[in-house]
Amino acid sequence: MGRSRRTIPEELLLLALDPTTGTTAQPQSLDLGLAGAQLVELALAGRIAPDGDRIAVVMPRPTGDPTLDSALELLRRRGSPVRAVHWIGGPRLGLRQTYLTHLERCGMVHAVEGQMCGVLPTTRYQASETAISREIRARLDNAIRTGVPPDPRTAALAALAHAVGLGKHLYPGNEGRSSRSRLRDLIRHDPMGGLVAHAVMDVQNGVAAQPRRAPARTAASEPTGVPVQSRRGSMARAVAH
């Protein structure tokens, strides 16, 4: 990859990629999650910081990652802190495909061309570096199993995985119920990840009118994974690509 560390959006997308079908789980809510993951990554890079339930740019210097820098520039142009729920609920056309193309260019996934019903062209993505996907999953599994507070990156990844509804994809069935509950509880270990994860869930549930006082909760119901359409004048439109 030419980099020693993957970004949280990349890891979230790899977690969502089904190794059997080559499709992404929870595609609609995943688009929201990727936008939120960009915020967490920018915060970890020291470019933005939470200001209540808003996001403020504290250092506009580019990170060197084109996709992250595009988001950073859009935030800078706002001129004042923006509510996380409004940012995440804004149009994100092509964001998932942008990251899939990036992962393909890095050699982490490869595209498989096909057809639907023998007519419509389709593109599916298979993981090329399965060891990377296993390592990402192992970090979540370890945090869930041991109960030891994870590092901020893993905590944020867990919070976003829960927020977009990947719990049932990663830990399916009744036997995975306790793991899904622990995945949800990891949300409290990273304030920025918690703020963003709750904003993702609020967009899905259409809750954006009132500011959130506390950026993190200790418990939350499992998200629906389906973004709602915007109310004009109250929240931005959540676009599922």
Side-chain angles (χ1 to χ4, degrees):
M1 287 182 59
R3 288 185 289 138
S4 60
R5 186 175 66 193
R6 297 172 299 275
T7 65
I8 294 175
E10 293 166 7
E11 293 195 330
L12 183 65
L13 186 51
L14 287 170
L15 273 181
L17 194 62
D18 191 305
T20 302
T21 65
T23 59
T24 52
Q26 302 293 85
Q28 294 177 314
S29 55
L30 182 61
D31 290 341
L32 303 176
L34 289 173
Q38 287 185 316
L39 293 181
V40 176
E41 192 66 46
L42 286 170
L44 289 171
R47 299 318 196 260
I48 64 174
D51 181 6
D53 67 339
R54 296 175 183 268
I55 303 297
V57 175
V58 294
M59 184 189 297
R61 179 165 55 86
T63 66
D65 181 305
T67 309
L68 290 176
D69 289 341
S70 176
L72 179 61
E73 177 61 14
L74 289 174
L75 285 167
R76 186 193 67 79
R77 289 179 184 175
R78 293 291 184 97
S80 60
V82 58
R83 287 187 64 198
V85 70
H86 287 164
W87 171 260
I88 290 169
R92 293 293 178 271
L93 284 173
L95 186 58
R96 180 160 30 107
Q97 186 58 50
T98 295
Y99 274 107
L100 283 169
T101 301
H102 170 72
L103 290 176
E104 182 182 19
R105 188 168 58 249
C106 293
M108 296 172 65
V109 302
H110 62 274
V112 179
E113 305 297 334
Q115 289 184 328
M116 181 182 296
C117 301
V119 179
L120 299 175
T122 62
T123 303
R124 300 176 184 272
Y125 292 86
Q126 301 286 347
S128 303
E129 297 287 345
T130 55
I132 293 176
S133 297
R134 288 197 299 268
E135 182 270 329
I136 297 169
R137 174 66 181 271
R139 281 165 41 212
L140 288 187
D141 290 346
N142 185 65
I144 288 172
R145 183 179 64 255
T146 64
V148 176
D151 62 275
R153 301 185 71 84
T154 302
L157 181 63
L160 287 161
H162 165 70
V164 302
L166 289 184
K168 291 182 178 179
H169 167 69
L170 298 170
Y171 307 104
N174 288 331
E175 64 275 15
R177 184 175 307 217
S178 61
S179 292
R180 293 197 299 272
S181 177
R182 294 189 192 105
L183 179 72
R184 177 200 66 201
D185 290 343
L186 290 175
I187 204 169
R188 70 182 185 271
H189 290 294
D190 179 63
M192 184 65 180
L195 168 66
V196 169
H198 284 300
V200 169
M201 290 185 284
D202 282 349
V203 172
Q204 294 177 79
N205 295 323
V207 180
Q210 296 298 322
R212 182 182 298 280
R213 293 181 176 228
R217 293 188 293 244
T218 57
S221 59
E222 291 196 1
T224 62
V226 180
V228 297
Q229 294 297 324
S230 63
R231 294 183 179 89
R232 182 174 302 175
S234 63
M235 66 179 291
R237 185 180 180 186
V239 177
H241 176 58

